[in-house]
Amino acid sequence: MNTLRHGFSIGIERVADEFFLTLKAKGKLSHSDYLAITPVIDSALSEVKQPKIKALFDATELEGWELSAAWDDFKLGLKHGNQFVKIALYGNKGWQETAAKIGRWFVAGEMKFFDNETDAFAWLNE
C-alpha cells in the first residue's frame, strides 16, 4: 500500500506578546490540511491583542498545493499577514524561493528564503 502523506506539523511558543511559530509542510497540501491547521493558528493568535509573530517554515518536504489549498493559504495570509514580523522559509526547490517572494506581498513583516534551517533560525533571532 502506497499512502501519500501530507499535512502540517506546528509548534507555537509564546513569550509575552511575541510568538514563535514553527511549521513543517509535507507532501501536496489539500483543503482538508488547512481546515485542520487554521483553527489552531486562529486560536493561538486570538489570545493576544497585537501579536508579533516570527515564523520558521520548513518546506523541505513540501511538494505543492492543490488549487483549493492555495486559496486557503492566501486567505490565511490575508487574515494574519499584518501580525508577522519575520518569516523564514527554508527549502530545497527553486519554486519555493519564488513562492517566498510572492508571499511577501501578503505579509506586513519581512520574509526571506533560505536553503538551510541554521541560517533561517539565525536570521529570525537577529
Side-chain angles (χ1 to χ4, degrees):
M1 185 170 146
N2 185 9
T3 305
L4 298 176
R5 295 180 62 192
H6 59 93
F8 288 103
S9 300
I10 185 169
I12 301 172
E13 292 181 32
R14 183 172 154 189
V15 178
D17 67 344
E18 188 169 279
F19 283 88
F20 189 75
L21 178 71
T22 56
L23 281 167
K24 180 176 178 73
K26 180 180 220 122
K28 187 172 185 177
L29 299 177
S30 69
H31 177 65
S32 62
D33 295 326
Y34 281 87
L35 289 177
I37 199 74
T38 301
V40 174
I41 292 173
D42 289 346
S43 175
L45 300 183
S46 70
E47 297 177 21
V48 177
K49 291 189 190 304
Q50 294 181 323
K52 297 174 192 140
I53 307 163
K54 291 182 179 179
L56 180 64
F57 190 105
D58 177 351
T60 55
E61 295 182 47
L62 176 63
E63 294 168 15
W65 294 264
E66 292 177 358
L67 184 57
S68 59
W71 177 247
D72 292 331
D73 192 64
F74 173 73
K75 289 189 299 185
L76 191 62
L78 288 179
K79 185 173 185 179
H80 295 293
N82 65 341
Q83 299 169 333
F84 285 91
V85 177
K86 282 185 170 183
I87 299 175
L89 170 72
Y90 73 96
N92 51 15
K93 298 172 184 78
W95 64 266
Q96 293 170 340
E97 186 168 5
T98 302
K101 289 176 184 172
I102 293 168
R104 289 182 194 143
W105 299 340
F106 307 105
V107 179
E110 298 176 76
M111 186 174 206
K112 200 167 176 182
F113 178 82
F114 298 88
D115 59 9
N116 68 78
E117 183 180 19
T118 304
D119 291 346
F121 192 73
W123 177 75
L124 281 177
N125 288 302
E126 287 179 347

